[in-house]
Amino acid sequence: MKTANKEITAVSLVQAALEKAHKFQETHHIFTFLNDVEAIKKAAEIDERIKKGENVGRLAGVPYALKDNFLSPEGETTASAHILQGFTSPVTATAVEKLEKEGAIMIGRTNLDAFAHGSSTENSYFGPTKNSKDLERVAGGSSGGSAVAVALDIVSFATGTDTGGSIRQPATFNGIYGLKPTYGTVSRYGVVAMGSSTDCVGFFAQTPEDLNLLMEITAGQDPKDMTTLPDFYGKDNEKFNDPIKKIGIIKDFDNDAVAPSIRKALADKVEELKAKGHEIVELNMPALKYALAAYYIIVPAEVASNLSRHDGVRYGFRSDKSDNLNDLYENTRNEGFMSENKRRIMTGNFVLSSGFYDAYYLKAAKARTMIINEYDDAFEKCDFILTPVSPNPAFKLGEKVDDPVAMYLEDMMSVSVNLAGLPGLAIPAGETEDGLSLGLQLVGPRRSDADLLKFAAEMDKDSHAGSIDSHADIFGGKD
């Protein structure tokens, strides 16, 4: 990650990123907004501060891409939804404030599935983002634009949100690292809400070292977000001090529903870990078969509640076909929401309705508790768990967008991590014969985020040594 200094100007870094952004925007449709004027202005200010010898932060002049569901005054915050067109935020997300306090410069807002509802970025009002390796395939979702921006080396890092795999899956589809932290590690204040009990703010980057730096900057308790945890990130955890790790493999995920290329990538990684002296532990976790069903009851229930605020009265899009208040609500929401948004609202209201709450929502909540307990038991036997992220490599544009069940099945191996509030890290795992990116995920116990990144860096240290020159001892540990 290059930072500005007396030899490398912030303006040159930002200009180079913007040139790439405009070039790839034509082919890949990555951004919903490009911040040309303000980004150059901020870069020039940082260069002036460097000349004066001032402290400009650990991310001085580093261009980054912002998923378009993070609030900030620069550009419209639309969450790639028609109903939020025209909305300019009066507040700034806590994570954005922390990044920019350290000198990072936002060059553009990235495309996503509207309100982060999707696994392909095809549910965007502005059209799909295309895969970094194959223009006929999806970028993954919901954070597809952010993943492609990093994969094409437009920016060193990008923000994302992960409610059921929305960082890890697009990271996997584009061959980069993507971190979903422990629930509550990074403040969600100023991020458009999807499922409040599973939403996590995280990041995409080319290396675990870069992700660690971003987490050091953004992790921590925030009085504006009562779900944030007390500061724990990077503090020494004796449980993980042994260099030889026990890695769990979930037997329930090794089946014919998973593509042969992904099963081979997992088997190859297991052999690699064995060769390095790590112990492999087979895990039987039968409750995980309920994860997808539980997720698509619990999260739509929260979606229905969170999206009820979007009615065209105070901000965003308002239908002009209304003669009274009731019609205003109905027409605005009908025109402003995508089909997938409506599907989740209706599902959520149904499972919460009188007569169905006990049959659906309550059972899903009990299944969630079973899944949490099962993970807790698993981490008594191993340090980390290694699994696929998605059952398939990147699929073709249009292949699943009209089949909700097929699209939801793409999340079958990622949603349980969110339901349990665990950290999950997508790691690159080679390519298919056709050149499509493959990835796997490392999952750790709650609050093991830094140790997860450290282990990933150790696994890949030969190919990514010294990615951040000024942070060679970045995993040195803290008191």
mmCIF file of all heavy atoms in Angstrom, residues 107-127:
data_model
loop_
_atom_site.group_PDB
_atom_site.id
_atom_site.type_symbol
_atom_site.label_atom_id
_atom_site.label_comp_id
_atom_site.label_asym_id
_atom_site.label_seq_id
_atom_site.Cartn_x
_atom_site.Cartn_y
_atom_site.Cartn_z
ATOM 1 N N ILE A 107 -12.056 7.953 -3.707
ATOM 2 C CA ILE A 107 -12.092 8.356 -5.119
ATOM 3 C C ILE A 107 -13.427 8.031 -5.778
ATOM 4 O O ILE A 107 -13.710 8.501 -6.880
ATOM 5 C CB ILE A 107 -10.956 7.695 -5.936
ATOM 6 C CG1 ILE A 107 -11.162 6.172 -6.012
ATOM 7 C CG2 ILE A 107 -9.599 8.079 -5.390
ATOM 8 C CD1 ILE A 107 -10.564 5.552 -7.235
ATOM 9 N N GLY A 108 -14.258 7.222 -5.129
ATOM 10 C CA GLY A 108 -15.543 6.903 -5.736
ATOM 11 C C GLY A 108 -16.367 5.974 -4.878
ATOM 12 O O GLY A 108 -15.848 5.303 -3.979
ATOM 13 N N ARG A 109 -17.664 5.960 -5.161
ATOM 14 C CA ARG A 109 -18.611 5.071 -4.499
ATOM 15 C C ARG A 109 -18.850 3.864 -5.387
ATOM 16 O O ARG A 109 -19.048 4.007 -6.599
ATOM 17 C CB ARG A 109 -19.931 5.795 -4.238
ATOM 18 C CG ARG A 109 -19.816 6.916 -3.236
ATOM 19 C CD ARG A 109 -21.173 7.620 -3.056
ATOM 20 N NE ARG A 109 -21.139 8.472 -1.882
ATOM 21 C CZ ARG A 109 -21.351 8.073 -0.644
ATOM 22 N NH1 ARG A 109 -21.635 6.796 -0.416
ATOM 23 N NH2 ARG A 109 -21.294 8.899 0.367
ATOM 24 N N THR A 110 -18.851 2.676 -4.782
ATOM 25 C CA THR A 110 -18.929 1.454 -5.585
ATOM 26 C C THR A 110 -20.337 0.867 -5.629
ATOM 27 O O THR A 110 -21.134 0.989 -4.691
ATOM 28 C CB THR A 110 -17.955 0.381 -5.059
ATOM 29 O OG1 THR A 110 -18.231 0.126 -3.676
ATOM 30 C CG2 THR A 110 -16.525 0.837 -5.232
ATOM 31 N N ASN A 111 -20.613 0.197 -6.725
ATOM 32 C CA ASN A 111 -21.901 -0.414 -7.001
ATOM 33 C C ASN A 111 -22.147 -1.621 -6.093
ATOM 34 O O ASN A 111 -21.201 -2.312 -5.691
ATOM 35 C CB ASN A 111 -21.923 -0.849 -8.468
ATOM 36 C CG ASN A 111 -23.309 -1.141 -8.986
ATOM 37 O OD1 ASN A 111 -24.302 -0.637 -8.472
ATOM 38 N ND2 ASN A 111 -23.393 -1.956 -10.032
ATOM 39 N N LEU A 112 -23.402 -1.898 -5.804
ATOM 40 C CA LEU A 112 -23.786 -3.034 -4.965
ATOM 41 C C LEU A 112 -25.199 -3.464 -5.331
ATOM 42 O O LEU A 112 -25.926 -2.749 -6.031
ATOM 43 C CB LEU A 112 -23.740 -2.673 -3.473
ATOM 44 C CG LEU A 112 -24.704 -1.585 -2.969
ATOM 45 C CD1 LEU A 112 -25.177 -1.905 -1.544
ATOM 46 C CD2 LEU A 112 -24.033 -0.217 -2.967
ATOM 47 N N ASP A 113 -25.597 -4.648 -4.875
ATOM 48 C CA ASP A 113 -27.009 -5.003 -4.937
ATOM 49 C C ASP A 113 -27.789 -4.005 -4.091
ATOM 50 O O ASP A 113 -27.375 -3.682 -2.971
ATOM 51 C CB ASP A 113 -27.221 -6.417 -4.376
ATOM 52 C CG ASP A 113 -26.620 -7.497 -5.255
ATOM 53 O OD1 ASP A 113 -27.137 -7.702 -6.358
ATOM 54 O OD2 ASP A 113 -25.632 -8.133 -4.833
ATOM 55 N N ALA A 114 -28.898 -3.501 -4.607
ATOM 56 C CA ALA A 114 -29.644 -2.459 -3.907
ATOM 57 C C ALA A 114 -29.915 -2.850 -2.462
ATOM 58 O O ALA A 114 -30.439 -3.940 -2.184
ATOM 59 C CB ALA A 114 -30.962 -2.182 -4.630
ATOM 60 N N PHE A 115 -29.534 -1.967 -1.545
ATOM 61 C CA PHE A 115 -29.645 -2.186 -0.101
ATOM 62 C C PHE A 115 -28.881 -3.429 0.348
ATOM 63 O O PHE A 115 -29.164 -3.996 1.399
ATOM 64 C CB PHE A 115 -31.108 -2.262 0.353
ATOM 65 C CG PHE A 115 -31.805 -0.929 0.337
ATOM 66 C CD1 PHE A 115 -32.736 -0.621 -0.643
ATOM 67 C CD2 PHE A 115 -31.511 0.024 1.294
ATOM 68 C CE1 PHE A 115 -33.371 0.611 -0.666
ATOM 69 C CE2 PHE A 115 -32.142 1.268 1.284
ATOM 70 C CZ PHE A 115 -33.070 1.553 0.300
ATOM 71 N N ALA A 116 -27.918 -3.863 -0.464
ATOM 72 C CA ALA A 116 -27.065 -5.030 -0.163
ATOM 73 C C ALA A 116 -27.844 -6.338 -0.200
ATOM 74 O O ALA A 116 -27.427 -7.325 0.397
ATOM 75 C CB ALA A 116 -26.353 -4.859 1.187
ATOM 76 N N HIS A 117 -28.954 -6.373 -0.945
ATOM 77 C CA HIS A 117 -29.772 -7.578 -1.043
ATOM 78 C C HIS A 117 -29.383 -8.359 -2.287
ATOM 79 O O HIS A 117 -29.935 -8.139 -3.374
ATOM 80 C CB HIS A 117 -31.253 -7.219 -1.132
ATOM 81 C CG HIS A 117 -31.779 -6.465 0.038
ATOM 82 N ND1 HIS A 117 -33.053 -5.922 0.072
ATOM 83 C CD2 HIS A 117 -31.215 -6.154 1.231
ATOM 84 C CE1 HIS A 117 -33.246 -5.312 1.228
ATOM 85 N NE2 HIS A 117 -32.140 -5.447 1.947
ATOM 86 N N GLY A 118 -28.421 -9.256 -2.163
ATOM 87 C CA GLY A 118 -28.060 -10.064 -3.318
ATOM 88 C C GLY A 118 -26.677 -10.643 -3.232
ATOM 89 O O GLY A 118 -25.873 -10.273 -2.369
ATOM 90 N N SER A 119 -26.390 -11.540 -4.164
ATOM 91 C CA SER A 119 -25.111 -12.244 -4.187
ATOM 92 C C SER A 119 -24.412 -12.110 -5.540
ATOM 93 O O SER A 119 -23.574 -12.935 -5.883
ATOM 94 C CB SER A 119 -25.335 -13.733 -3.881
ATOM 95 O OG SER A 119 -25.983 -13.907 -2.649
ATOM 96 N N SER A 120 -24.774 -11.071 -6.308
ATOM 97 C CA SER A 120 -24.189 -10.964 -7.648
ATOM 98 C C SER A 120 -23.999 -9.537 -8.134
ATOM 99 O O SER A 120 -23.403 -9.314 -9.184
ATOM 100 C CB SER A 120 -25.079 -11.702 -8.657
ATOM 101 O OG SER A 120 -26.335 -11.059 -8.757
ATOM 102 N N THR A 121 -24.498 -8.537 -7.405
ATOM 103 C CA THR A 121 -24.530 -7.129 -7.814
ATOM 104 C C THR A 121 -25.374 -6.933 -9.071
ATOM 105 O O THR A 121 -25.268 -5.914 -9.742
ATOM 106 C CB THR A 121 -23.107 -6.543 -7.992
ATOM 107 O OG1 THR A 121 -22.305 -6.931 -6.872
ATOM 108 C CG2 THR A 121 -23.105 -5.020 -7.991
ATOM 109 N N GLU A 122 -26.223 -7.896 -9.381
ATOM 110 C CA GLU A 122 -27.168 -7.729 -10.489
ATOM 111 C C GLU A 122 -28.446 -7.031 -10.036
ATOM 112 O O GLU A 122 -29.231 -6.581 -10.876
ATOM 113 C CB GLU A 122 -27.523 -9.088 -11.090
ATOM 114 C CG GLU A 122 -26.371 -9.770 -11.805
ATOM 115 C CD GLU A 122 -26.744 -11.176 -12.243
ATOM 116 O OE1 GLU A 122 -26.770 -12.081 -11.377
ATOM 117 O OE2 GLU A 122 -27.006 -11.364 -13.434
ATOM 118 N N ASN A 123 -28.668 -6.947 -8.725
ATOM 119 C CA ASN A 123 -29.875 -6.313 -8.219
ATOM 120 C C ASN A 123 -29.691 -4.822 -7.990
ATOM 121 O O ASN A 123 -30.448 -4.208 -7.246
ATOM 122 C CB ASN A 123 -30.313 -6.986 -6.907
ATOM 123 C CG ASN A 123 -30.792 -8.408 -7.132
ATOM 124 O OD1 ASN A 123 -31.505 -8.688 -8.084
ATOM 125 N ND2 ASN A 123 -30.370 -9.316 -6.258
ATOM 126 N N SER A 124 -28.676 -4.227 -8.613
ATOM 127 C CA SER A 124 -28.449 -2.792 -8.527
ATOM 128 C C SER A 124 -29.372 -2.051 -9.483
ATOM 129 O O SER A 124 -29.554 -2.464 -10.634
ATOM 130 C CB SER A 124 -26.995 -2.466 -8.877
ATOM 131 O OG SER A 124 -26.825 -1.074 -9.082
ATOM 132 N N TYR A 125 -29.911 -0.924 -9.052
ATOM 133 C CA TYR A 125 -30.726 -0.081 -9.928
ATOM 134 C C TYR A 125 -29.904 0.441 -11.104
ATOM 135 O O TYR A 125 -30.442 0.733 -12.169
ATOM 136 C CB TYR A 125 -31.295 1.087 -9.120
ATOM 137 C CG TYR A 125 -32.122 2.050 -9.939
ATOM 138 C CD1 TYR A 125 -33.373 1.676 -10.430
ATOM 139 C CD2 TYR A 125 -31.654 3.331 -10.217
ATOM 140 C CE1 TYR A 125 -34.136 2.560 -11.191
ATOM 141 C CE2 TYR A 125 -32.404 4.216 -10.965
ATOM 142 C CZ TYR A 125 -33.644 3.830 -11.456
ATOM 143 O OH TYR A 125 -34.388 4.705 -12.216
ATOM 144 N N PHE A 126 -28.582 0.522 -10.910
ATOM 145 C CA PHE A 126 -27.698 1.092 -11.931
ATOM 146 C C PHE A 126 -27.094 0.032 -12.853
ATOM 147 O O PHE A 126 -26.241 0.344 -13.683
ATOM 148 C CB PHE A 126 -26.578 1.886 -11.253
ATOM 149 C CG PHE A 126 -27.092 2.951 -10.339
ATOM 150 C CD1 PHE A 126 -26.981 2.826 -8.960
ATOM 151 C CD2 PHE A 126 -27.727 4.074 -10.845
ATOM 152 C CE1 PHE A 126 -27.472 3.799 -8.118
ATOM 153 C CE2 PHE A 126 -28.225 5.065 -10.002
ATOM 154 C CZ PHE A 126 -28.102 4.925 -8.629
ATOM 155 N N GLY A 127 -27.516 -1.220 -12.707
ATOM 156 C CA GLY A 127 -26.994 -2.281 -13.556
ATOM 157 C C GLY A 127 -25.859 -3.035 -12.882
ATOM 158 O O GLY A 127 -25.285 -2.573 -11.891
#
